[in-house]
Amino acid sequence: MKNINPGDFVELIFPNKSYKGILLESPKDEKGVILLKLDSGYNIGFKKKDISEIRLIKKAEKKEEKIEIKIPQEKPKIAMIITGGTIASKLDTKTGAVSPLTKPEEFFKFYPKIFDKVSLEKIIVPFTKASEDMDFKDWKKIAKITYNLLNNKEIKGVIITHGTDTLHYTASALSFFLQNLNKPVILTYSQRSIDRASSDANLNLQCSALASISDIAEVLLVGHATMNDDFCFAILGTKARKLHTSRRDAFKSVNRKPIAKIWPDKIEILSEHKLRNEKNKVKLDAKFNNKVALIKFYPGQNPDILEFYHKNKYEGLVIEATGLGHVSSLSKNSFLKKIKKLTKDGIIVCVTSQCIYGRVDPYVYSNGRELEKAGAIFLEDMLSETAFVKLGWILGHKEWKKNKQIIKQKMLTNFAGEINERLDEQFHSL
Ligand code: ASP
């Protein structure tokens, strides 16, 4: 172990196998254990006595050096909003976990290639949070900052870096909160922290840079299209979903084709999108009624759970139902009676599917028909998370909230590509 320290990239050699990864500090009370962070992101422990040799592959980077960002002046100018998550974190070799960068701008040190195509006019860091700690107030904050940046004539587009876990909620919120877009709004992420050789941030940032100066005036999520480091997909904000816990191509475009395939130096358009028009007057409509909830139905679930929302004066619920949009209707745990009561009392009940891919349909089984008769609104092929954000947004408008028919009509209006009339078979799986 001479000259090998925590943080170094090493190979542990056993009599019949070997493992590569970043050496972590051994736990204090278990000095006979060697901990390694594998490329997949998992931490794994080995008994020292079983290891034949520890081979150094690469020394860890020296810690605190001055960060000098050389931003070229002559390239198209964009702005960046940094909000936290893995893309703005680095590995802590003591714990094996990632923790936020002390200076979020530090990531430019690792990824100078982002400046191959663009120059950064502004970097805004409203907060540094893991995305599971965010809520609608954060979505509003990001929307307002983005709105101001879009109105800045110098700026060609905006990149927002964000944690992956709830990125699809934020992408939906921005899609509804920012209308009549004039320029691209690009959300990006990484699944592996930036100081790791296998980090996906490099490609994601380079493709995002190109997307931000493209002619696509949409809220897009840009990230790895495959498990390799070759190209990214640009996915419409309302149709993106995290579908893998650790893979770099965690996000998929559900029920529609991605908008584009992006390499660091070229874009291939795959489907229809709105075009850049810098004369468009962007509308900020960042309203949200927090009295909405997303509930997953499961077999045997006690419908009394709905009473909680009733008692606590919730105004809208999205029920992520089974298959085509079913909940129990005949068992002792039938949801129907309670849903009827809720809708009679003015609570909006919407239905999406936990299948994720496909469309809900109330007319195939009698169960679905009963649910529709009970007042539930079936949300076509809308993703549950998108539906939740949309319901909060619609109920945030006092003028619409007064009338149940208007709410239903708005929920079924396609504002930001959240409903797709014709599903593309080709893109129906991981
Ligand atoms: N939990 C982190 C987050 O969503 C994961 C990530 O950034 O990828 O912020």
Side-chain angles (χ1 to χ4, degrees):
M1 285 278 279
K2 244 196 214 153
N3 288 332
I4 300 184
N5 300 304
D8 294 345
F9 192 67
V10 298
E11 183 172 13
L12 302 186
I13 308 197
F14 294 83
N16 308 318
K17 55 188 173 199
S18 74
Y19 291 94
K20 284 185 187 159
I22 296 172
L23 189 69
L24 304 174
E25 277 178 29
S26 297
K28 271 210 182 75
D29 42 355
E30 285 177 279
K31 285 292 174 208
V33 170
I34 294 269
L35 285 178
L36 199 67
K37 181 157 210 93
L38 301 179
D39 243 12
S40 59
Y42 296 110
N43 300 336
I44 170 165
F46 302 97
K47 287 194 183 119
K48 241 185 209 166
K49 63 176 177 41
D50 297 338
I51 302 169
S52 325
E53 192 193 335
I54 304 181
R55 211 174 271 162
L56 177 69
I57 301 182
K58 195 171 174 273
K59 285 297 288 171
E61 293 219 5
K62 284 258 173 319
K63 276 200 180 136
E64 269 320 316
E65 59 211 62
K66 222 171 130 222
I67 304 162
E68 262 183 63
I69 316 168
K70 283 205 189 78
I71 301 179
Q73 285 310 305
E74 67 288 358
K75 308 209 167 146
K77 294 191 171 89
I78 63 157
M80 191 174 254
I81 306 173
I82 297 173
T83 70
T86 302
I87 192 164
S89 305
K90 67 179 173 188
L91 183 66
D92 177 349
T93 52
K94 271 209 179 80
T95 59
V98 292
S99 46
L101 296 174
T102 35
K103 294 190 187 105
E105 309 86 284
E106 206 181 339
F107 70 62
F108 300 117
K109 177 183 83 179
F110 292 92
Y111 296 112
K113 271 183 164 301
I114 187 173
F115 302 119
D116 279 0
K117 293 275 182 294
V118 299
S119 157
L120 273 186
E121 174 74 6
K122 265 193 168 79
I123 305 167
I124 299 180
V125 190
F127 47 80
T128 331
K129 288 188 190 185
S131 69
E132 61 272 28
D133 288 327
M134 290 189 189
D135 63 23
F136 70 98
K137 292 187 208 112
D138 299 307
W139 305 337
K140 284 186 175 190
K141 203 178 272 174
I142 301 172
K144 279 181 195 153
I145 297 170
T146 308
Y147 171 76
N148 289 333
L149 293 170
L150 292 172
N151 283 325
N152 179 333
K153 286 202 174 63
E154 296 287 315
I155 287 167
K156 287 267 156 223
V158 179
I159 298 181
I160 303 160
T161 65
H162 195 290
T164 53
D165 288 356
T166 70
L167 177 49
H168 43 304
Y169 290 86
T170 304
S172 288
L174 295 182
S175 306
F176 297 120
F177 290 179
L178 293 165
Q179 287 160 35
N180 202 28
L181 280 188
N182 51 355
K183 305 170 190 175
V185 174
I186 311 299
L187 287 144
T188 196
Y189 65 89
S190 82
Q191 286 273 75
R192 317 266 160 89
S193 62
I194 56 171
D195 48 351
R196 298 187 33 216
S198 61
S199 176
D200 39 343
N202 200 6
L203 182 73
N204 291 356
L205 285 170
Q206 285 183 71
C207 295
S208 296
L210 205 60
S212 70
I213 53 171
S214 74
D215 280 337
I216 313 171
E218 302 273 9
V219 173
L220 297 174
L221 199 151
V222 170
H224 271 61
T226 71
M227 280 156 75
N228 304 326
D229 251 336
D230 38 21
F231 62 91
C232 290
F233 277 141
I235 304 172
L236 197 69
T238 52
K239 286 299 198 193
R241 194 177 193 281
K242 187 174 182 184
L243 285 176
H244 203 283
T245 55
S246 59
R247 255 164 62 168
R248 297 188 288 178
D249 59 337
F251 287 91
K252 295 290 165 202
S253 184
V254 176
N255 291 334
R256 67 156 290 149
K257 277 187 196 158
I259 298 283
K261 228 167 154 174
I262 311 185
W263 289 260
D265 56 359
K266 68 170 184 197
I267 296 188
E268 182 189 323
I269 299 295
L270 299 177
S271 62
E272 232 180 89
H273 59 82
K274 294 195 200 88
L275 285 175
R276 173 188 291 277
N277 179 352
E278 297 193 8
K279 290 197 192 108
N280 276 359
K281 221 176 146 5
V282 184
K283 186 177 169 212
L284 177 69
D285 189 11
K287 299 197 177 91
F288 196 82
N289 180 336
N290 193 24
K291 283 293 188 192
V292 291
L294 173 57
I295 303 160
K296 187 177 188 120
F297 169 80
Y298 58 86
Q301 189 178 18
N302 189 328
D304 283 352
I305 187 71
L306 299 174
E307 290 293 347
F308 168 85
Y309 295 101
H310 200 181
K311 258 197 232 130
N312 286 286
K313 303 203 168 15
Y314 273 69
E315 296 179 33
L317 303 179
V318 174
I319 299 183
E320 194 179 68
T322 59
L324 291 161
H326 307 134
V327 289
S328 170
S329 62
L330 295 175
S331 75
K332 73 173 181 6
N333 283 324
S334 168
F335 263 51
L336 278 181
K337 221 167 99 200
K338 287 257 155 70
I339 289 180
K340 258 186 217 154
K341 193 166 150 215
L342 255 56
T343 55
K344 207 170 125 265
D345 288 350
I347 300 172
I348 304 299
V349 177
C350 297
V351 174
T352 58
S353 175
Q354 44 193 260
C355 291
I356 299 177
Y357 285 91
R359 185 187 302 284
V360 287
D361 185 343
Y363 304 119
V364 180
Y365 296 95
S366 53
N367 173 330
R369 276 173 222 253
E370 293 293 323
L371 189 53
E372 200 194 36
K373 261 202 249 152
I377 306 169
F378 280 66
L379 294 181
E380 304 283 342
D381 67 311
M382 212 182 296
L383 281 163
S384 306
E385 297 79 7
T386 302
F388 162 74
V389 174
K390 182 173 179 181
L391 186 56
W393 177 66
I394 300 273
L395 292 176
H397 290 76
K398 285 204 182 86
E399 65 283 18
W400 296 344
K401 221 174 86 169
K402 282 184 230 143
N403 183 324
K404 181 166 181 202
Q405 273 322 307
I406 296 182
I407 298 170
K408 180 171 181 182
Q409 180 236 320
K410 296 285 177 196
M411 281 310 287
L412 294 172
T413 300
N414 198 7
F415 283 92
E418 68 277 19
I419 298 171
N420 188 9
E421 299 294 331
R422 283 184 297 135
L423 305 188
D424 302 301
E425 289 306 327
Q426 198 193 342
F427 286 93
H428 275 194
S429 61
L430 252 186

